[in-house]
Amino acid sequence: MRTLCSSTLIGEFFIIGFAGLVAMKDPDLSMTTVWTVCGIAMFLSVVLCGLITRPGGVAMGWGLQGLLILAGFVVPMMFFLGAMFAGLWWASVHYGRQIDEAKARFAAQSGAASADAPADAV
């Protein structure tokens, strides 16, 4: 799960940066405001890569997905991109957990098979 979720978060890092470039063209927003908000969101996306397996890591990732969708009020394309990345996040969490469970089953089966093998066969 960690690999899939981290890949999604790194993709979001770049999308947030590009959205910041688009938001800078809004005359109502100062460059300081845009890059403070984008910088915090970009930092959060990188930090979440390390927190995925910790308690609450996935929930914080969902919070970031919500913030990306809400960014659509500033950069309208973010409604679409935020929803797309929320779908990717769901797939990363869902299929990542399935892959982790399959790896655990395989490791348990391999461990049981090696324990049953005679010592001189190794």
Side-chain angles (χ1 to χ4, degrees):
M1 179 173 81
R2 183 180 185 140
T3 303
L4 291 174
C5 290
S6 293
S7 298
T8 301
L9 289 167
I10 294 302
E12 289 176 359
F13 173 87
F14 290 107
I15 293 299
I16 294 166
F18 292 135
L21 292 172
V22 173
M24 279 182 17
K25 295 185 183 235
D26 188 344
D28 296 333
L29 299 173
S30 71
M31 189 169 22
T32 305
T33 303
V34 169
W35 289 115
T36 300
V37 172
C38 287
I40 291 169
M42 291 169 79
F43 177 75
L44 181 61
S45 69
V46 172
V47 168
L48 281 174
C49 289
L51 297 176
I52 291 302
T53 56
R54 306 233 185 225
V58 173
M60 287 191 293
W62 278 115
L64 181 62
Q65 305 316 309
L67 292 175
L68 286 180
I69 294 170
L70 290 176
F73 288 110
V74 178
V75 178
M77 186 63 171
M78 288 304 292
F79 284 123
F80 171 73
L81 290 173
M84 184 182 76
F85 272 97
L88 285 172
W89 181 253
W90 175 86
S92 297
V93 171
H94 178 74
Y95 293 114
R97 285 183 177 155
Q98 287 183 351
I99 290 169
D100 289 347
E101 291 168 3
K103 283 182 181 179
R105 281 194 309 272
F106 181 73
Q109 289 173 351
S110 295
S114 66
D116 293 339
D120 56 72
V122 177

